[in-house]
Amino acid sequence: MKIGFVGCGNMASAMIGGIIKNRVADPSDILASAKSEAGREKARKNLGIKVSASNQEVAAFADVLILAVKPFYYEEVICEIKDSVKDGVIIVSITPGKTLVWLEEQFGKPSKIVRTMPNTPALVGEGMSCICGNPRTTQEDIDTVCKIFAGFGKSEIVTEEMIDVVVGVSGSSPAYVFMFIEALADAAVADGMPRAQAYRFAAQAVLGSAKMVLETGKHPGELKDMVCSPKGTTIEAVRVLEEKGLRSAVFEAAKACVKKTREV
Ligand SMILES: NC(=O)c1ccc[n+]([C@@H]2O[C@H](COP(=O)([O-])OP(=O)(O)OC[C@H]3O[C@@H](n4cnc5c(N)ncnc54)[C@H](OP(=O)(O)O)[C@@H]3O)[C@@H](O)[C@H]2O)c1
Protein backbone atom coordinates (compact mmCIF):
# COMPACT_ATOMS: atom_id res chain seq x y z
CA MET A 1 0.00 0.00 0.00
CA LYS A 2 1.42 3.39 -1.05
CA ILE A 3 0.58 6.33 1.19
CA GLY A 4 0.84 9.90 -0.10
CA PHE A 5 0.83 13.03 2.03
CA VAL A 6 0.12 16.38 0.42
CA GLY A 7 1.70 18.63 3.02
CA CYS A 8 4.15 17.41 5.61
CA GLY A 9 4.00 19.76 8.58
CA ASN A 10 3.34 19.11 12.26
CA MET A 11 0.35 16.80 11.92
CA ALA A 12 1.57 14.77 8.93
CA SER A 13 5.02 14.32 10.51
CA ALA A 14 3.46 13.03 13.73
CA MET A 15 1.32 10.59 11.75
CA ILE A 16 4.17 9.40 9.51
CA GLY A 17 6.48 8.92 12.53
CA GLY A 18 3.98 6.51 14.08
CA ILE A 19 3.19 4.74 10.81
CA ILE A 20 6.88 3.97 10.30
CA LYS A 21 7.65 3.12 13.93
CA ASN A 22 4.78 0.63 14.06
CA ARG A 23 5.63 -0.81 10.65
CA VAL A 24 2.22 -0.02 9.16
CA ALA A 25 4.14 1.01 6.05
CA ASP A 26 7.74 1.02 4.95
CA PRO A 27 9.34 4.50 4.54
CA SER A 28 9.83 3.68 0.84
CA ASP A 29 6.03 3.35 0.50
CA ILE A 30 5.43 6.90 1.74
CA LEU A 31 5.77 9.97 -0.48
CA ALA A 32 5.12 13.47 0.86
CA SER A 33 5.13 16.96 -0.58
CA ALA A 34 5.65 20.30 1.16
CA LYS A 35 5.59 23.80 -0.23
CA SER A 36 9.14 24.79 0.69
CA GLU A 37 12.44 23.07 0.02
CA ALA A 38 13.17 23.40 3.75
CA GLY A 39 9.92 21.60 4.61
CA ARG A 40 10.69 18.75 2.21
CA GLU A 41 14.26 18.43 3.43
CA LYS A 42 13.09 18.29 7.06
CA ALA A 43 10.65 15.47 6.23
CA ARG A 44 13.22 13.55 4.22
CA LYS A 45 15.89 13.86 6.91
CA ASN A 46 13.73 13.33 10.02
CA LEU A 47 11.38 10.67 8.69
CA GLY A 48 13.50 8.93 6.04
CA ILE A 49 10.64 9.07 3.52
CA LYS A 50 10.61 10.06 -0.13
CA VAL A 51 9.64 13.68 -0.80
CA SER A 52 8.51 15.59 -3.85
CA ALA A 53 7.91 19.20 -4.85
CA SER A 54 5.00 18.00 -7.00
CA ASN A 55 1.60 17.42 -5.40
CA GLN A 56 0.56 15.73 -8.64
CA GLU A 57 3.36 13.19 -8.28
CA VAL A 58 2.16 12.41 -4.74
CA ALA A 59 -1.42 12.04 -6.00
CA ALA A 60 -0.38 9.66 -8.79
CA PHE A 61 1.70 7.58 -6.36
CA ALA A 62 -0.89 7.04 -3.61
CA ASP A 63 -3.37 4.25 -2.90
CA VAL A 64 -4.28 6.24 0.20
CA LEU A 65 -3.88 10.00 -0.24
CA ILE A 66 -3.83 12.13 2.89
CA LEU A 67 -4.49 15.86 2.49
CA ALA A 68 -2.40 17.43 5.26
CA VAL A 69 -2.38 21.11 4.33
CA LYS A 70 -4.20 23.88 6.20
CA PRO A 71 -7.94 24.13 5.42
CA PHE A 72 -7.57 27.32 3.35
CA TYR A 73 -5.23 25.48 0.91
CA TYR A 74 -7.60 22.54 0.34
CA GLU A 75 -9.43 24.05 -2.64
CA GLU A 76 -6.30 25.00 -4.61
CA VAL A 77 -4.50 21.75 -3.76
CA ILE A 78 -7.44 19.55 -4.82
CA CYS A 79 -7.80 21.54 -8.05
CA GLU A 80 -4.11 20.88 -8.71
CA ILE A 81 -4.20 17.10 -8.06
CA LYS A 82 -7.70 15.98 -9.04
CA ASP A 83 -6.70 14.74 -12.51
CA SER A 84 -3.66 12.87 -11.16
CA VAL A 85 -5.30 10.63 -8.54
CA LYS A 86 -5.52 6.91 -9.30
CA ASP A 87 -8.89 5.19 -9.76
CA GLY A 88 -10.15 3.78 -6.47
CA VAL A 89 -7.78 5.86 -4.31
CA ILE A 90 -8.92 6.52 -0.75
CA ILE A 91 -8.72 10.26 -0.14
CA VAL A 92 -8.31 11.20 3.52
CA SER A 93 -8.97 14.68 4.91
CA ILE A 94 -7.56 15.63 8.30
CA THR A 95 -8.95 19.15 8.34
CA PRO A 96 -11.99 20.65 10.07
CA GLY A 97 -14.90 22.24 8.26
CA LYS A 98 -14.59 20.63 4.82
CA THR A 99 -17.53 18.26 4.43
CA LEU A 100 -17.57 14.91 2.61
CA VAL A 101 -19.93 16.39 0.00
CA TRP A 102 -17.75 19.49 -0.51
CA LEU A 103 -14.60 17.38 -0.81
CA GLU A 104 -16.11 15.04 -3.40
CA GLU A 105 -17.44 18.02 -5.37
CA GLN A 106 -13.92 19.50 -5.53
CA PHE A 107 -12.61 16.27 -7.07
CA GLY A 108 -15.34 16.56 -9.69
CA LYS A 109 -15.97 12.81 -9.98
CA PRO A 110 -17.23 9.95 -7.81
CA SER A 111 -14.52 9.55 -5.16
CA LYS A 112 -13.90 7.61 -1.99
CA ILE A 113 -13.50 10.25 0.71
CA VAL A 114 -12.77 9.71 4.39
CA ARG A 115 -12.87 12.56 6.89
CA THR A 116 -10.73 12.18 10.00
CA MET A 117 -9.62 14.35 12.87
CA PRO A 118 -6.32 13.33 14.50
CA ASN A 119 -4.41 15.18 17.25
CA THR A 120 -0.73 15.88 17.92
CA PRO A 121 -0.21 13.22 20.65
CA ALA A 122 0.11 11.06 17.52
CA LEU A 123 3.74 12.14 17.78
CA VAL A 124 4.19 9.80 20.77
CA GLY A 125 1.82 7.10 19.53
CA GLU A 126 -1.04 8.32 21.76
CA GLY A 127 -3.16 10.13 19.19
CA MET A 128 -6.94 10.08 19.27
CA SER A 129 -8.70 10.29 15.91
CA CYS A 130 -12.18 10.00 14.51
CA ILE A 131 -12.98 8.46 11.14
CA CYS A 132 -15.99 8.90 8.86
CA GLY A 133 -16.27 7.70 5.25
CA ASN A 134 -18.61 8.85 2.48
CA PRO A 135 -21.10 6.34 0.99
CA ARG A 136 -18.63 5.31 -1.74
CA THR A 137 -16.20 3.86 0.80
CA THR A 138 -16.42 0.17 1.65
CA GLN A 139 -15.81 -1.48 5.01
CA GLU A 140 -12.45 -2.58 3.61
CA ASP A 141 -11.54 1.07 2.84
CA ILE A 142 -12.46 2.13 6.37
CA ASP A 143 -10.46 -0.79 7.79
CA THR A 144 -7.46 0.35 5.73
CA VAL A 145 -7.69 3.88 7.14
CA CYS A 146 -8.18 2.51 10.68
CA LYS A 147 -5.05 0.38 10.24
CA ILE A 148 -3.00 3.41 9.18
CA PHE A 149 -4.34 5.49 12.07
CA ALA A 150 -3.62 2.66 14.54
CA GLY A 151 0.04 3.39 13.77
CA PHE A 152 -0.12 6.54 15.89
CA GLY A 153 -2.88 6.01 18.43
CA LYS A 154 -6.51 5.11 18.84
CA SER A 155 -9.45 5.91 16.61
CA GLU A 156 -13.22 5.62 16.59
CA ILE A 157 -15.79 5.72 13.80
CA VAL A 158 -18.20 8.66 14.14
CA THR A 159 -20.98 10.27 12.14
CA GLU A 160 -19.95 13.31 10.13
CA GLU A 161 -21.83 15.79 12.35
CA MET A 162 -19.74 14.56 15.30
CA ILE A 163 -16.43 15.57 13.69
CA ASP A 164 -16.78 19.24 14.75
CA VAL A 165 -17.32 18.04 18.31
CA VAL A 166 -14.20 15.86 18.09
CA VAL A 167 -12.18 18.99 17.22
CA GLY A 168 -13.26 20.54 20.54
CA VAL A 169 -12.78 17.46 22.71
CA SER A 170 -9.60 15.93 21.24
CA GLY A 171 -8.30 17.65 18.07
CA SER A 172 -7.57 20.90 19.90
CA SER A 173 -7.70 19.79 23.53
CA PRO A 174 -3.99 18.93 23.84
CA ALA A 175 -3.46 22.72 23.89
CA TYR A 176 -5.80 23.10 26.86
CA VAL A 177 -4.08 20.24 28.67
CA PHE A 178 -0.62 21.74 28.01
CA MET A 179 -1.87 25.00 29.55
CA PHE A 180 -3.08 23.08 32.61
CA ILE A 181 0.29 21.32 32.96
CA GLU A 182 2.15 24.60 32.56
CA ALA A 183 0.02 26.34 35.18
CA LEU A 184 0.39 23.44 37.63
CA ALA A 185 4.16 23.46 37.13
CA ASP A 186 4.28 27.26 37.53
CA ALA A 187 2.67 26.88 40.95
CA ALA A 188 5.25 24.25 41.93
CA VAL A 189 8.04 26.54 40.71
CA ALA A 190 6.55 29.37 42.79
CA ASP A 191 6.83 27.05 45.80
CA GLY A 192 10.49 26.30 45.03
CA MET A 193 10.56 23.26 42.76
CA PRO A 194 13.04 23.35 39.83
CA ARG A 195 11.15 23.93 36.55
CA ALA A 196 12.13 20.69 34.75
CA GLN A 197 11.14 18.63 37.76
CA ALA A 198 7.85 20.54 38.06
CA TYR A 199 6.94 19.63 34.44
CA ARG A 200 7.72 15.97 35.13
CA PHE A 201 5.50 15.88 38.22
CA ALA A 202 2.64 17.78 36.57
CA ALA A 203 2.73 15.83 33.29
CA GLN A 204 2.96 12.42 34.99
CA ALA A 205 -0.01 13.35 37.23
CA VAL A 206 -2.06 14.16 34.11
CA LEU A 207 -0.91 11.01 32.31
CA GLY A 208 -1.70 8.79 35.31
CA SER A 209 -5.09 10.43 35.86
CA ALA A 210 -6.04 9.95 32.20
CA LYS A 211 -5.04 6.27 32.44
CA MET A 212 -7.22 5.86 35.53
CA VAL A 213 -10.24 7.18 33.63
CA LEU A 214 -9.55 4.85 30.70
CA GLU A 215 -8.54 1.76 32.63
CA THR A 216 -10.80 1.72 35.71
CA GLY A 217 -13.97 2.64 33.84
CA LYS A 218 -14.96 4.69 36.89
CA HIS A 219 -16.74 8.02 36.57
CA PRO A 220 -14.23 10.94 36.73
CA GLY A 221 -16.24 12.40 39.63
CA GLU A 222 -15.82 9.16 41.60
CA LEU A 223 -12.06 9.21 40.94
CA LYS A 224 -11.95 12.85 42.13
CA ASP A 225 -13.86 11.92 45.29
CA MET A 226 -11.30 9.17 45.99
CA VAL A 227 -8.54 11.83 46.22
CA CYS A 228 -10.52 14.19 48.44
CA SER A 229 -10.31 13.28 52.15
CA PRO A 230 -12.65 15.07 54.55
CA LYS A 231 -11.05 18.33 55.77
CA GLY A 232 -8.08 17.44 53.56
CA THR A 233 -5.73 19.36 51.31
CA THR A 234 -7.19 18.24 47.96
CA ILE A 235 -10.74 19.37 48.68
CA GLU A 236 -9.31 22.82 49.46
CA ALA A 237 -7.76 22.91 45.97
CA VAL A 238 -11.02 21.63 44.46
CA ARG A 239 -12.94 24.40 46.27
CA VAL A 240 -10.64 27.05 44.72
CA LEU A 241 -10.91 25.48 41.23
CA GLU A 242 -14.71 25.60 41.51
CA GLU A 243 -14.60 29.21 42.77
CA LYS A 244 -12.33 30.24 39.86
CA GLY A 245 -14.58 28.51 37.36
CA LEU A 246 -12.33 25.75 35.99
CA ARG A 247 -15.24 23.60 34.78
CA SER A 248 -17.03 26.52 33.16
CA ALA A 249 -13.80 27.76 31.52
CA VAL A 250 -13.13 24.34 29.96
CA PHE A 251 -16.77 23.92 28.93
CA GLU A 252 -16.92 27.33 27.25
CA ALA A 253 -13.50 26.92 25.62
CA ALA A 254 -14.41 23.62 24.00
CA LYS A 255 -17.74 25.05 22.83
CA ALA A 256 -15.98 28.11 21.34
CA CYS A 257 -13.63 25.74 19.53
CA VAL A 258 -16.53 23.78 18.01
CA LYS A 259 -18.28 27.04 17.01
CA LYS A 260 -15.12 28.27 15.27
CA THR A 261 -14.75 24.88 13.53
CA ARG A 262 -18.26 25.30 12.10
CA GLU A 263 -17.26 28.69 10.68
CA VAL A 264 -14.14 27.40 8.84
N1 LIG B 1 -1.76 20.64 14.35
C1 LIG B 1 -2.81 20.03 14.93
O1 LIG B 1 -2.92 19.91 16.15
C2 LIG B 1 -3.89 19.44 14.05
C3 LIG B 1 -4.84 18.58 14.64
C4 LIG B 1 -5.83 18.02 13.81
C5 LIG B 1 -5.86 18.35 12.46
N2 LIG B 1 -4.94 19.21 11.95
C6 LIG B 1 -5.03 19.54 10.52
O2 LIG B 1 -3.87 19.11 9.88
C7 LIG B 1 -3.65 19.93 8.72
C8 LIG B 1 -2.19 20.37 8.73
O3 LIG B 1 -1.97 21.11 9.91
P1 LIG B 1 -0.49 21.27 10.50
O4 LIG B 1 -0.67 21.73 11.90
O5 LIG B 1 0.32 20.05 10.23
O6 LIG B 1 0.04 22.47 9.59
P2 LIG B 1 1.55 22.85 9.22
O7 LIG B 1 2.48 22.36 10.26
O8 LIG B 1 1.56 24.30 8.89
O9 LIG B 1 1.83 22.00 7.88
C9 LIG B 1 1.24 22.31 6.67
C10 LIG B 1 2.03 21.62 5.58
O10 LIG B 1 1.42 21.93 4.32
C11 LIG B 1 2.44 22.29 3.40
N3 LIG B 1 1.85 23.05 2.32
C12 LIG B 1 1.33 24.30 2.35
N4 LIG B 1 0.85 24.63 1.13
C13 LIG B 1 1.10 23.57 0.32
C14 LIG B 1 0.86 23.31 -1.05
N5 LIG B 1 0.26 24.19 -1.85
N6 LIG B 1 1.25 22.12 -1.53
C15 LIG B 1 1.84 21.19 -0.74
N7 LIG B 1 2.10 21.39 0.57
C16 LIG B 1 1.73 22.57 1.09
C17 LIG B 1 3.46 23.02 4.23
O11 LIG B 1 4.69 23.10 3.55
P3 LIG B 1 5.83 24.14 4.07
O12 LIG B 1 6.13 23.80 5.49
O13 LIG B 1 6.96 23.89 3.17
O14 LIG B 1 5.22 25.51 3.92
C18 LIG B 1 3.49 22.07 5.44
O15 LIG B 1 4.27 20.95 5.16
C19 LIG B 1 -4.63 21.10 8.80
O16 LIG B 1 -5.67 20.91 7.91
C20 LIG B 1 -5.10 21.03 10.24
O17 LIG B 1 -6.42 21.53 10.37
C21 LIG B 1 -3.95 19.74 12.70
Side-chain angles (χ1 to χ4, degrees):
M1 174 177 54
K2 309 276 189 208
I3 308 175
F5 281 83
V6 178
C8 196
N10 292 321
M11 200 59 246
S13 299
M15 294 165 74
I16 295 168
I19 289 169
I20 293 171
K21 189 173 166 207
N22 291 299
R23 297 173 191 275
V24 176
D26 194 77
S28 62
D29 287 328
I30 301 176
L31 179 64
S33 61
K35 197 163 195 171
S36 65
E37 175 59 36
R40 293 190 290 275
E41 183 53 22
K42 193 172 160 196
R44 194 189 58 74
K45 213 168 137 200
N46 293 351
L47 300 164
I49 57 167
K50 299 190 286 186
V51 294
S52 171
S54 162
N55 293 334
Q56 289 165 341
E57 188 190 346
V58 175
F61 167 88
D63 301 310
V64 177
L65 181 63
I66 300 176
L67 305 177
V69 294
K70 292 287 187 193
F72 39 85
Y73 288 129
Y74 261 59
E75 195 169 347
E76 84 176 54
V77 159
I78 294 174
C79 185
E80 192 186 338
I81 63 174
K82 64 181 180 182
D83 294 327
S84 306
V85 292
K86 290 198 260 196
D87 285 343
V89 66
I90 305 170
I91 296 155
V92 178
S93 159
I94 63 168
T95 214
K98 305 293 185 199
T99 66
L100 290 167
V101 167
W102 184 88
L103 288 160
E104 193 176 18
E105 267 171 22
Q106 304 306 302
F107 278 91
K109 61 184 174 195
S111 305
K112 293 179 175 189
I113 314 276
V114 179
R115 278 187 71 188
T116 68
M117 185 49 55
N119 64 6
T120 51
L123 192 63
V124 292
E126 292 291 350
M128 183 67 202
S129 309
C130 70
I131 292 173
C132 173
N134 75 351
R136 295 186 201 286
T137 53
T138 63
Q139 187 57 50
E140 200 183 334
D141 297 328
I142 298 299
D143 290 347
T144 299
V145 175
C146 286
K147 194 175 146 210
I148 293 171
F149 276 59
F152 47 87
K154 298 185 171 61
S155 60
E156 290 192 16
I157 310 290
V158 299
T159 57
E160 186 169 22
E161 63 180 9
M162 209 44 69
I163 297 176
D164 296 341
V165 182
V166 170
V167 179
V169 73
S170 82
S172 298
S173 68
Y176 333 152
V177 177
F178 296 140
M179 288 172 73
F180 178 80
I181 291 172
E182 193 184 12
L184 202 54
D186 277 348
V189 170
D191 279 325
M193 185 179 276
R195 165 109 4 223
Q197 191 176 33
Y199 284 139
R200 286 197 299 276
F201 271 88
Q204 183 62 31
V206 169
L207 176 69
S209 307
K211 275 190 133 177
M212 280 177 79
V213 173
L214 292 171
E215 292 179 12
T216 66
K218 287 191 195 300
H219 187 287
E222 191 183 342
L223 294 170
K224 184 240 356 166
D225 289 354
M226 282 163 58
V227 198
C228 295
S229 323
K231 283 194 161 184
T233 51
T234 311
I235 196 68
E236 268 306 295
V238 169
R239 180 182 64 76
V240 174
L241 289 173
E242 296 291 9
E243 186 187 287
K244 302 283 182 192
L246 176 84
R247 282 173 201 263
S248 175
V250 173
F251 201 138
E252 293 304 320
K255 280 194 71 70
C257 179
V258 174
K259 182 169 178 280
K260 180 77 180 175
T261 302
R262 292 184 172 141
E263 292 164 7
V264 170

